[in-house]
Amino acid sequence: MMRFSLNQATTKRWPMDETVAGCVAAGVTQIGLWRDQVADHGLDRTAALLRAEGLTVTSLCRAGFFTAPDWKDDNLRAIEEAAALGAPVLVLVSGGLPAGSRDIDAARRRVSDAVGELVPHARDAGVRLAIEPLHPMFASDRCVVSTLRNALDLVAPYPAEDVGVTVDTYHLWWDDEVWSQIARAGAESRIACFQVADWVTPLPEGVLLGRGLPGTGCVELRRFREAVDAAGYTGPIEVEVFHEDVWSRPGDEVLKETLSLYAEHVL
């Protein structure tokens, strides 16, 4: 249980101060943060609160979206925010196809080039970048990096200590290559972040919100945990869920259930 980290997405509507207090009360010592929620509370206030309460930040979500006109300025701000919060990892979601484009190969090359532009800044800040592959249904508008193989190939030109990958069970469970690619990621020292959520069907109309708490869907979550362990990853395990039914419940209730389901289905 010491590896457990509550990703803020799971309790999205729980205010920052209540989230931190709830984690402390539940004995949770690690938290994954989201930039919008940090901004709502204030960057400096959030950093001070976490230090005061002794919580460790496991990651900051998210940056990337390399097709946006201001992508570089936004990513540089995200790196600075991660450093201020003590987040060792900044999760990058690549963005989809540029407007009017059908060239997904070029879009993926653009991701690798953009990451290369960020590496010196992230290295100076002590922040590791982590490309997150998303399920292929998001390729057109949200993330052209769809498999762990895609992600590992794109980050290969850069040192592993600067750039890694995020292994997210929700996005990767369907891929018949995922086990061999997790082993490859371990051999290349590329696993920077491990996030857990289940896949529940039918998907809601907003397909982003189809993530379930551990054990409520069809993903072999323990098999993923065992695979990343076998690959040499010993870092935090974030539970990151997006679902309206989860968000509508009190945060302390969700955290209690999350801890129980994590123990049962991930450990």
Side-chain angles (χ1 to χ4, degrees):
M1 295 297 289
M2 294 299 294
R3 294 173 70 187
F4 175 85
S5 175
L6 175 68
N7 188 288
Q8 271 190 304
T10 304
T11 53
K12 184 178 177 65
R13 300 202 179 102
W14 215 9
M16 181 72 74
D17 53 352
E18 295 181 28
T19 302
V20 171
C23 285
V24 171
V28 173
T29 61
Q30 301 185 110
I31 188 168
L33 298 176
W34 275 73
R35 294 178 67 198
D36 56 343
Q37 289 161 285
V38 170
D40 286 345
H41 192 71
L43 177 62
D44 293 339
R45 285 182 66 207
T46 300
L49 176 64
L50 295 169
R51 286 195 299 269
E53 297 298 337
L55 259 65
T56 299
V57 181
T58 53
S59 73
L60 179 65
C61 291
R62 71 187 178 222
F65 287 89
F66 300 121
T67 57
D70 65 342
W71 73 267
K72 188 166 185 179
D73 288 342
D74 184 64
N75 277 267
L76 293 178
R77 284 193 298 272
I79 290 169
E80 293 174 358
E81 292 163 13
L85 294 163
V89 174
L90 176 63
V91 177
L92 304 179
V93 174
S94 71
L97 292 169
S101 173
R102 293 182 174 86
D103 191 343
I104 196 167
D105 293 333
R108 287 173 176 151
R109 289 193 296 271
R110 174 62 187 142
V111 172
S112 185
D113 292 343
V115 168
E117 292 187 50
L118 298 177
V119 163
H121 304 279
R123 182 188 299 132
D124 289 345
V127 175
R128 191 181 189 193
L129 306 175
I131 285 282
E132 180 175 7
L134 267 57
H135 190 281
M137 66 181 171
F138 298 113
S140 66
D141 64 341
R142 190 165 294 269
C143 186
V144 294
V145 183
S146 299
T147 67
L148 193 53
R149 178 191 286 274
N150 285 163
L152 290 168
D153 288 348
L154 290 173
V155 304
Y158 310 110
E161 60 268 24
D162 295 329
V163 187
V165 297
T166 297
V167 175
D168 186 314
T169 61
Y170 176 79
H171 291 298
L172 298 175
W173 72 273
W174 58 276
D175 184 2
D176 63 354
E177 286 194 332
V178 71
W179 312 116
S180 62
Q181 293 303 312
I182 287 174
R184 172 191 169 190
E188 297 174 5
S189 301
R190 293 287 183 180
I191 304 177
C193 185
F194 178 41
Q195 295 178 335
V196 172
D198 223 325
W199 179 284
V200 293
T201 48
L203 291 175
E205 183 178 351
V207 292
L208 271 175
L209 307 186
R211 292 169 172 254
L213 292 172
T216 62
C218 61
V219 182
E220 294 181 288
L221 298 175
R222 185 174 296 108
R223 185 179 180 188
F224 266 94
R225 196 266 304 157
E226 291 171 346
V228 297
D229 285 358
Y233 178 78
T234 59
I237 303 172
E238 295 185 3
V239 175
E240 184 192 53
V241 172
F242 296 60
H243 202 289
E244 188 60 43
D245 290 348
V246 176
W247 291 346
S248 66
R249 296 166 52 196
D252 55 351
E253 178 185 300
V254 171
L255 177 55
K256 181 179 180 180
E257 183 177 4
T258 299
L259 286 166
S260 175
L261 293 174
Y262 168 85
E264 181 179 358
H265 296 284
V266 179
L267 300 185

